[in-house]
Coordinates of all heavy atoms in Angstrom, one line a residue:
K71 N -12.5 28.5 11.8 CA -12.3 28.1 13.2 C -11.4 26.9 13.2 O -11.7 25.9 12.5 CB -13.5 27.9 14.0 CG -13.4 27.6 15.4 CD -13.3 28.9 16.2 CE -12.8 28.7 17.6 NZ -11.3 28.5 17.7
G72 N -10.4 26.8 14.1 CA -9.5 25.5 14.2 C -8.2 25.8 14.8 O -7.8 27.0 14.9
G73 N -7.7 24.7 15.3 CA -6.4 24.9 16.0 C -5.1 25.1 15.3 O -5.2 25.2 14.1
I74 N -4.1 25.3 16.0 CA -2.8 25.5 15.4 C -1.9 24.4 16.1 O -1.9 24.3 17.3 CB -2.1 26.9 15.8 CG1 -2.9 28.0 15.2 CG2 -0.7 26.9 15.3 CD1 -2.5 29.4 15.8
R75 N -1.4 23.5 15.2 CA -0.5 22.4 15.9 C 1.0 22.7 15.7 O 1.4 23.3 14.7 CB -0.9 21.0 15.5 CG -1.4 20.8 14.1 CD -1.3 19.3 13.8 NE -2.5 18.6 14.2 CZ -2.7 17.3 14.1 NH1 -1.8 16.7 13.4 NH2 -3.8 16.9 14.5
L88 N -7.2 18.7 8.0 CA -7.6 19.1 9.3 C -8.5 20.2 9.1 O -9.6 20.4 9.8 CB -6.5 19.4 10.3 CG -5.7 18.0 10.7 CD1 -4.5 18.4 11.3 CD2 -6.6 17.2 11.6
M92 N -12.5 20.5 10.0 CA -13.1 21.5 11.0 C -14.3 22.0 10.3 O -15.4 22.3 11.1 CB -12.1 22.7 11.2 CG -10.9 22.4 12.1 SD -11.4 21.6 13.7 CE -12.5 22.9 14.4
K95 N -16.9 19.5 11.2 CA -17.1 19.4 12.5 C -18.0 20.5 13.1 O -19.0 20.2 13.8 CB -15.8 19.6 13.3 CG -15.5 19.1 14.7 CD -14.2 19.3 15.2 CE -13.1 18.4 14.5 NZ -11.9 18.4 15.4
C96 N -17.7 21.7 12.6 CA -18.6 22.9 13.1 C -20.0 22.7 12.6 O -21.0 22.9 13.2 CB -18.1 24.3 12.7 SG -16.5 24.6 13.5
L103 N -19.8 28.6 12.6 CA -18.4 28.7 12.3 C -18.0 27.9 11.1 O -18.6 26.9 10.8 CB -17.5 28.3 13.5 CG -17.7 29.2 14.9 CD1 -17.1 28.4 16.0 CD2 -17.1 30.6 14.6
G106 N -10.9 25.9 9.6 CA -9.5 26.4 9.4 C -8.6 25.6 10.2 O -9.0 24.8 11.1
K107 N -7.4 25.6 10.0 CA -6.3 24.9 10.7 C -5.0 25.6 10.4 O -4.7 26.0 9.4 CB -6.2 23.5 10.4 CG -5.6 22.5 11.4 CD -6.7 22.4 12.6 CE -6.4 21.2 13.4 NZ -7.6 20.7 14.2
V143 N -10.5 32.3 13.7 CA -10.3 32.3 15.1 C -9.5 30.9 15.4 O -10.0 29.9 15.6 CB -11.7 32.3 15.9 CG1 -11.5 32.3 17.4 CG2 -12.4 33.5 15.5
P144 N -8.2 31.1 15.6 CA -7.4 30.0 16.0 C -7.7 29.4 17.4 O -8.4 30.1 18.2 CB -5.9 30.4 15.9 CG -6.0 31.6 15.1 CD -7.3 32.2 15.4
A145 N -7.0 28.3 17.8 CA -7.2 27.7 19.0 C -6.0 26.6 19.3 O -5.2 26.4 18.3 CB -8.5 26.8 19.0
P146 N -6.0 26.0 20.4 CA -4.9 25.0 20.6 C -5.2 23.8 19.7 O -6.3 23.4 19.5 CB -5.0 24.6 22.1 CG -5.9 25.6 22.7 CD -6.8 26.1 21.6
D147 N -4.2 22.9 19.5 CA -4.3 21.6 18.9 C -3.1 20.8 19.5 O -2.6 21.0 20.6 CB -4.3 21.7 17.4 CG -4.9 20.5 16.7 OD1 -6.1 20.5 16.4 OD2 -4.2 19.6 16.3
V148 N -2.7 19.8 18.7 CA -1.6 19.0 19.2 C -0.4 19.7 19.6 O 0.1 20.6 18.8 CB -1.2 17.9 18.1 CG1 0.1 17.2 18.4 CG2 -2.3 17.0 17.6
T175 N -9.2 31.1 20.9 CA -9.8 30.4 22.0 C -8.9 29.5 22.6 O -7.8 29.3 22.1 CB -11.1 29.7 21.7 OG1 -10.7 28.8 20.6 CG2 -12.2 30.6 21.0
G176 N -9.3 28.9 23.7 CA -8.3 28.1 24.5 C -7.4 28.8 25.3 O -6.2 28.5 25.6
R187 N -13.1 24.4 29.1 CA -12.5 24.3 27.8 C -11.4 23.1 27.7 O -11.3 22.3 26.8 CB -11.8 25.5 27.3 CG -11.1 25.4 25.9 CD -12.1 25.1 24.7 NE -11.4 24.9 23.5 CZ -10.9 23.8 23.0 NH1 -10.9 22.8 23.9 NH2 -10.4 23.6 21.9
T191 N -13.1 18.5 25.0 CA -13.0 17.6 23.9 C -13.1 16.1 24.4 O -13.9 15.3 23.9 CB -11.6 17.7 23.1 OG1 -11.4 19.2 22.9 CG2 -11.7 17.0 21.7
N330 N -8.2 13.2 15.2 CA -8.7 13.5 13.9 C -8.1 12.5 12.9 O -6.8 12.4 13.0 CB -8.3 14.9 13.5 CG -8.9 16.0 14.3 OD1 -10.2 16.0 14.4 ND2 -8.3 16.9 14.9
N355 N -15.1 14.3 18.4 CA -14.2 15.2 19.1 C -14.6 16.6 18.9 O -13.8 17.6 19.1 CB -12.7 15.0 18.7 CG -12.4 15.4 17.3 OD1 -12.9 16.3 16.8 ND2 -11.4 14.6 16.7
A356 N -15.9 16.9 18.5 CA -16.3 18.2 18.4 C -16.6 19.0 19.6 O -16.9 20.2 19.6 CB -17.7 18.2 17.5
G357 N -16.4 18.3 20.7 CA -16.6 19.0 22.0 C -15.6 20.3 22.2 O -16.1 21.3 22.8
G358 N -14.5 20.1 21.7 CA -13.4 21.2 21.9 C -13.9 22.4 21.1 O -13.9 23.6 21.7
V359 N -14.2 22.3 19.9 CA -14.6 23.5 19.2 C -16.0 24.0 19.6 O -16.3 25.2 19.6 CB -14.6 23.3 17.6 CG1 -15.7 22.4 17.1 CG2 -14.5 24.6 16.9
T360 N -16.8 23.1 20.1 CA -18.1 23.6 20.7 C -17.9 24.4 21.8 O -18.4 25.6 21.9 CB -19.0 22.4 20.9 OG1 -19.2 21.6 19.7 CG2 -20.3 22.9 21.6
C361 N -17.0 24.1 22.7 CA -16.6 24.9 23.9 C -15.9 26.2 23.5 O -16.1 27.2 24.0 CB -15.8 24.1 24.9 SG -15.8 24.9 26.5
S362 N -15.1 26.0 22.4 CA -14.4 27.3 21.8 C -15.5 28.2 21.3 O -15.3 29.5 21.6 CB -13.5 26.9 20.7 OG -12.2 26.5 21.1
Y363 N -16.5 27.8 20.8 CA -17.6 28.7 20.4 C -18.2 29.3 21.7 O -18.5 30.5 21.7 CB -18.7 27.8 19.6 CG -20.0 28.6 19.5 CD1 -20.1 29.7 18.7 CD2 -21.1 27.8 19.9 CE1 -21.3 30.3 18.7 CE2 -22.3 28.5 19.7 CZ -22.5 29.7 19.1 OH -23.6 30.3 18.9
Ligands
LIG1 N1 -8.0 21.7 17.7 C1 -9.4 21.4 18.2 C2 -10.0 20.5 17.1 O1 -9.4 19.9 16.2 C3 -10.2 22.6 18.6 C4 -10.4 23.6 17.6 C5 -11.0 24.9 18.1 O2 -11.3 24.9 19.3 O3 -11.2 25.8 17.3 O4 -11.3 20.5 17.0

Side-chain angles (χ1 to χ4, degrees):
K71 185 84 192 81
I74 298 171
R75 36 164 84 180
L88 291 163
M92 283 309 302
K95 198 180 291 193
C96 295
L103 296 166
K107 201 75 160 202
V143 182
D147 200 89
V148 172
T175 60
R187 176 65 184 83
T191 315
N330 292 308
N355 68 35
V359 75
T360 302
C361 192
S362 276
Y363 165 57

